[in-house]
Amino acid sequence: MAKFNLKLRRNRHEDDYEYERGQLAVPDGRGLPRALTAEGAPGFPRGPRAELFLLGVSNMVGEDTFYEGAADRDARFRELVAAVAVADRDWFARFVPWLRTGAMLRSASIVAALEGARAQVAAGIPGSRAIVDAALQRADEPGEALAYWLGRHGRSLPKPVKRGIADAAVRLYHERSLLKYDSEGSAVRFGDVIDLTHPTAKDERQGDLFRHALDRRHRRDNPPPASLTVLAARAELMAMPVQRRTEVTDPAVLGAAGMTWEALAGWRQSAMDAAAWEAIIPTMGYLALLRNLRNFDQAGVSDAVAETVAARLSDPGEVARSRVLPMRFLSAYNAAPSLRWAYPLEKALQHALANVPALDGRTLILIDTSGSMTSPFSKDGSLRCWDAATVFGLALAARAQDATVVSFSDHSQVFPAVAGESVLAAVRRFKDGGWFYGCGTETAKAVRKHYDRHDRVVILTDEQAHWHRSADVTAAVPAPVPVYTWNLAGYRVGHAPTYGNRQTFGGLSDAAFAMIPLVEAGSREQWPF
């Protein structure tokens, strides 16, 4: 979904939001700088790279969180990007592409690439063209990037930004992407990107496509060039009388015309029945299939076709190429009423969690279910921070040799394991069984209560612990025992320092879980990229 490339986007005022209390630093009793979490407990500020990493991997851009308004959060992100892009350009050059393809975050990587390029250009640092190009991985993203830049910085495009967007357009623009993403509802069309960045077509056919995109944008009544056969096939379908369109059920015909399921629904001008879905399913993308499982059931799609969908959903190659975040499978599982999707979705989730390590020994896993963990990942509110915490925590438990899973807020309790239970079923049991407490955050209390000679401790949380006279989160754990915090919100102040075997990871994908064996093996590698 576009965040920047929208017509008539309403602006928000920064003073509509409370400023995050967690950024305030106060002196402690020894005269050393100390920080407070948003709930007033002693906390620990992070270095710029660590703060940028944690904010980047949890930042949906333009979204409020429990303790931080969208305007303040986005401003903090831009400031960190500008500082780190100049101070450590090699790290930044690795971070932004990973943020897009490893952490699988679109808006955050676009903003990071563009704001980093702006800072590097001002500082005379080369190399930002490649970073901008790497951050754009879908055909609507050159327009997203340009819309963001125009909206924040105006029409003056630095050469690295201009050329990076142009490189991405050459790589991503083709007939099918034009039909899918070049929408009149976008403020910045394909033609605008071509006009403003002047990409050089890779061959004659793409040159024809660029000229046609300009014709579309400027409403010139020129027919598509003969080389653009997909556009010709779409034009032939559009010329068909409406009353005959429901007769077209050949997947090959629809595929040759680059017809998507969204376009098919509008073109037919009638409800999507089973025949319509069965005609378009062979050409649907992975995420489109995942989002429409309920629609398939409601339309009565046959079991034979459903089996082909299930096979694609559970195929490890398809999962890897889709770059779908693990929580999407939970969302699909919650939405789909039919049990025929449960096992394929469970297999897909396991493939999406390929980086979750098989941990030996005893592992204590604490899942924060306090009120602040209700912060949504996106405006629809279908998934929240505690959904991600539960998915990751229970997946980690499923791979561990001996795991103790605890739900904690201002009180805590061990979540009982069920032998052979799938991760998705365990997540549903966690939710339906009342394990989301929704009260305060007393992390240290939970650690002290449940640590019992475990070999490691993993805490999934937003780190905004309440004040308590014994608020040191790691004090109850012997120094040789690793404590890993998995941060799901990216606030400025954390509940524990980061050093040695006290490490903080974060994000909405499983990528950083791979760091746990590295830390325990004594690796000096600090980042998952």
Side-chain angles (χ1 to χ4, degrees), residues 164-237:
I165 294 175
D167 292 343
V170 172
R171 179 166 45 84
L172 298 169
Y173 282 6
H174 49 74
E175 288 181 81
R176 294 177 186 275
S177 64
L178 181 84
L179 288 170
K180 184 171 184 177
Y181 294 117
D182 187 35
S183 166
E184 291 185 0
S186 299
V188 177
R189 302 279 299 276
F190 277 37
D192 296 312
V193 173
I194 295 165
D195 261 338
L196 294 174
T197 67
H198 308 295
T200 301
K202 60 187 175 184
D203 54 33
E204 185 176 346
R205 186 175 182 183
Q206 191 175 56
D208 289 342
L209 178 75
F210 286 177
R211 284 187 289 274
H212 180 67
L214 290 167
D215 287 342
R216 281 167 60 106
R217 181 65 180 98
H218 298 295
R219 300 182 183 277
R220 293 192 284 259
D221 194 21
N222 296 326
S227 63
L228 305 180
T229 55
V230 177
L231 295 182
R234 174 66 70 89
E236 184 176 345
L237 286 182

Side-chain angles (χ1 to χ4, degrees), residues 374-389:
T374 62
S375 291
F377 288 136
S378 57
K379 292 184 186 296
D380 64 9
S382 60
L383 291 171
R384 300 178 180 273
C385 280
W386 62 15
D387 290 309

Side-chain angles (χ1 to χ4, degrees), residues 272-287:
M272 290 284 287
D273 56 17
W277 282 117
E278 290 175 4
I280 201 65
I281 279 173
T283 57
M284 288 175 69
Y286 190 92
L287 185 56

Side-chain angles (χ1 to χ4, degrees), residues 369 407-408 413-416 429-437:
T369 57
S407 174
F408 77 93
Q413 189 171 346
V414 173
F415 178 68
R429 180 166 61 90
F430 194 99
K431 182 176 181 179
D432 294 347
W435 293 89
F436 290 124
Y437 296 143

Side-chain angles (χ1 to χ4, degrees), residues 505-519:
F505 309 134
L508 309 178
S509 79
D510 67 333
F513 272 122
M515 297 295 295
I516 293 178
L518 293 176
V519 171

Side-chain angles (χ1 to χ4, degrees), residues 6-129:
L6 300 169
K7 289 185 177 178
L8 300 177
R9 181 176 176 86
R10 293 190 296 178
N11 293 321
R12 290 177 167 178
H13 299 287
E14 290 190 5
D15 57 4
D16 288 342
Y17 302 98
E18 292 185 6
Y19 206 63
E20 179 202 359
R21 285 192 289 152
Q23 69 172 319
L24 301 177
V26 298
D28 69 4
R30 296 168 297 169
L32 299 174
R34 293 290 298 272
L36 299 177
T37 69
E39 290 294 344
F44 298 85
R46 317 179 202 278
R49 290 192 307 180
E51 185 179 347
L52 175 58
F53 174 80
L54 287 176
L55 180 56
V57 296
S58 57
N59 188 14
M60 289 300 187
V61 181
E63 306 288 348
D64 294 329
T65 57
F66 194 86
Y67 293 111
E68 194 172 20
D72 292 330
R73 189 173 177 84
D74 292 346
R76 179 161 67 94
F77 186 57
R78 292 193 300 271
E79 291 165 5
L80 285 166
V81 164
V84 174
V86 172
D88 194 339
R89 63 182 185 180
D90 292 335
W91 183 93
F92 187 76
R94 290 182 288 120
F95 170 64
V96 173
W98 176 85
L99 189 61
R100 180 64 182 91
T101 59
M104 298 176 284
L105 294 175
R106 298 179 63 230
S107 298
S109 58
I110 290 172
V111 173
L114 296 180
E115 294 292 345
R118 182 170 182 260
Q120 289 181 339
V121 168
I125 296 173
S128 49
R129 172 181 180 173

